[in-house]
Amino acid sequence: MKRFALGYEYIARIIMMLVVVNIAAIVHAVMGLVLGGLFPSIAAAHATYRAWIIDVHDRSWTIRRTWTVFHRAWKAEFAAANAFGWVQCIIWALLVWEYWFVQSNDLGTPGVVVSGILLVVNIVYALFVFVSWAIRSNFTEGNWWIARTSLSMIVARPLCSLLILVLLLITAVAYYKWPGLLAAFGLSIPIFTTMMAVYSFGKIPGMDVHDIEPIEKDQHKRQADTRH
């Protein structure tokens, strides 16, 4: 019964953290007049979840701690995140426009082929965008290095890539069926699930479950020994 209670509290705290991050992202986006605050908020959400993932000593974060970590990351990332995010946004807008153009015009058989190719390109690019922000939160490298590493990981870690796509699809369906979830969690869930997928299957230094989990188990064992 005690284990169930602890598990329930743990899940409840994660849900609370997701809601707090979503609220923090909205507030900070408004603080940056939306256009200037959106991408720093995305970067701060990734940084917050990374800090929570690697905090093996205590993952029972309070509202205050979540907000503080988010706010500090938002301020630190303001300029760099905007530069990183707007380049991605412009490229994605062009890809989406090209797909819309092909879909809206009868180009015959070549149009069908091009439409299929563009659909795949857009899906791969969406995966690249989500992975790149996760990679960026873990390394202090330049944007070009982040882009190359993200593309390499998408190919080298197919299970991780597939899991991210599946989780994003499930989230999109859930948001469509229950709009209240979108209001409560927003981008918080897609970012969190992406970070957890990368943590579990990405095998990146500094945020790898195979390195962190033994440390966490050892920490829990020491706490149990101390109680006894």
Side-chain angles (χ1 to χ4, degrees):
M1 189 67 182
K2 182 180 179 181
R3 180 176 296 180
F4 173 80
L6 291 174
Y8 179 82
E9 180 186 1
Y10 183 71
I11 294 174
R13 284 186 176 275
I14 291 177
I15 294 174
M16 180 185 69
M17 179 179 65
L18 294 173
V19 174
V20 172
V21 168
N22 182 45
I23 295 173
I26 295 172
V27 171
H28 285 76
V30 173
M31 286 170 56
L33 302 178
V34 182
L35 293 180
L38 174 61
F39 293 116
S41 291
I42 292 174
H46 283 85
T48 301
Y49 290 140
R50 180 189 180 274
W52 177 83
I53 286 172
I54 66 175
D55 188 5
V56 296
H57 300 289
D58 181 20
R59 285 180 175 161
S60 300
W61 282 24
T62 62
I63 294 176
R64 181 177 180 179
R65 185 173 184 184
T66 302
W67 189 279
T68 300
V69 172
F70 186 100
H71 181 67
R72 289 175 179 172
W74 186 85
K75 291 195 298 183
E77 290 279 7
F78 193 85
N82 270 307
F84 186 74
W86 279 110
V87 171
Q88 288 187 337
C89 185
I90 293 171
I91 295 173
W92 206 351
L94 291 173
L95 289 174
V96 171
W97 179 84
E98 288 178 354
Y99 180 71
W100 172 85
F101 178 82
V102 173
Q103 287 288 95
S104 303
N105 294 274
D106 186 6
L107 303 178
T109 303
V112 175
V113 175
V114 173
S115 177
I117 294 174
L118 286 174
L119 177 61
V120 173
V121 170
N122 273 279
I123 293 174
V124 173
Y125 188 77
L127 177 61
F128 162 76
V129 169
F130 276 91
V131 170
S132 66
W133 284 97
I135 295 295
R136 185 179 178 279
S137 70
N138 193 64
F139 298 101
T140 55
E141 300 287 346
N143 291 343
W144 179 241
W145 187 91
I146 296 296
R148 287 189 292 107
T149 302
S150 301
L151 287 172
S152 298
M153 201 187 89
I154 290 173
V155 176
R157 304 284 186 265
L159 181 59
C160 180
S161 301
L162 179 61
L163 181 60
I164 291 173
L165 288 176
V166 171
L167 290 173
L168 290 177
L169 179 60
I170 292 173
T171 302
V173 172
Y175 280 1
Y176 178 77
K177 293 189 66 174
W178 301 289
L181 292 176
L182 176 60
F185 297 104
L187 285 175
S188 189
I189 286 182
I191 293 174
F192 180 75
T193 54
T194 298
M195 291 294 287
M196 291 304 298
V198 171
Y199 168 63
S200 301
F201 299 101
K203 298 181 181 179
I204 61 174
M207 198 175 71
D208 183 359
V209 65
H210 302 93
D211 295 331
I212 295 177
E213 187 175 339
I215 299 176
E216 185 176 7
K217 287 182 178 179
D218 183 60
Q219 176 68 21
H220 291 327
K221 183 178 179 181
R222 289 180 181 178
Q223 290 176 350
D225 292 341
T226 302
R227 293 192 188 100
H228 294 302

